[in-house]
Amino acid sequence: MFERFSRHARIAVVVAQEEARELHADEIRPEHLLLGVLDSAGGDLAAVLSGHGLTAESVRTQLSGDFDADAAALQSIGIDLHAVRDIADRSFGAGAFDRALRGGRRPRRRHLPFVKPAKKALELALREAVAHHDRVIGAEHLLLGVLRGGDPVALDLVATHVAPQRLRADVSALLAKAA
């Protein structure tokens, strides 16, 4: 199926794997595919996404909320976790704080598997391309597959910026315009 992916869609899948690693996940989930699309979207799709305020940076911020929640809790007792992270990184090298959280080892570059909902999103991307009479699966189709897959985490990330139905309609209109 990947031979039918456009350049942007292939990049989105590769970026999804990198995002999963950066977020210390053991598998690629739909939210990582969403991040991959946001990072790799070109031209008109990027304009639609940014028009809704849906950017890779905003989604990354939402996904890293656990660190911020911990930082806020520790701040209430006078500990600045952001300052602790900065000092550790300055003293022991960039990423030292995060490596310590993972047991001190550098992340292995092994292949990360796709979870079932992410596989379903890829399958639905193919169906979206067929439904739009497109020969190539683009980043737009991949985004539509993520939306259609209904993963609650991915949909919540999108819904913070725009109603998923609205985004789906806008991306479908973009595909219809391109046809």
Side-chain angles (χ1 to χ4, degrees):
M1 176 166 83
F2 285 109
E3 65 273 1
R4 292 186 59 186
F5 275 48
S6 72
R7 179 177 171 271
H8 288 290
R10 287 177 194 218
I11 291 170
V13 173
V14 170
V15 170
Q17 185 170 5
E18 292 303 316
E19 292 289 348
R21 281 191 183 108
E22 288 293 318
L23 293 166
H24 314 297
D26 292 328
E27 67 265 331
I28 301 169
R29 298 186 297 263
E31 61 266 27
H32 303 128
L33 289 172
L34 175 63
L35 274 170
V37 169
L38 294 171
D39 259 346
S40 68
D44 294 336
L45 179 59
V48 167
L49 295 169
S50 64
H52 291 299
L54 191 57
T55 64
E57 191 56 41
S58 66
V59 170
R60 267 188 217 102
T61 299
Q62 287 174 263
L63 287 173
S64 67
D66 292 340
F67 179 83
D68 292 333
D70 292 344
L74 289 170
Q75 186 66 44
S76 69
I77 59 171
I79 299 171
D80 185 348
L81 190 55
H82 294 284
V84 170
R85 173 184 258 170
D86 292 342
I87 291 168
D89 287 350
R90 278 195 311 269
S91 299
F92 302 107
F97 183 88
D98 294 326
R99 282 192 305 276
L101 292 176
R102 293 189 309 269
R105 290 185 217 105
R106 289 187 178 264
R108 294 189 328 217
R109 302 300 295 176
R110 65 180 171 77
H111 172 75
L112 297 179
F114 289 88
V115 295
K116 217 171 219 181
K119 289 179 186 176
K120 185 68 173 177
L122 294 173
E123 177 189 328
L124 292 170
L126 172 63
R127 291 185 186 190
E128 290 290 340
V130 170
H132 286 92
H133 307 290
D134 293 327
R135 292 183 181 272
V136 176
I137 301 167
E140 298 86 355
H141 304 109
L142 192 51
L143 177 58
L144 291 174
V146 169
L147 294 173
R148 191 169 156 194
D151 179 73
V153 174
L155 291 179
D156 284 348
L157 291 167
V158 169
T160 302
H161 304 279
V162 59
Q165 302 86 349
R166 170 75 190 273
L167 181 58
R168 180 172 176 70
D170 290 349
V171 173
S172 292
L174 182 66
L175 287 170
K177 183 176 114 179

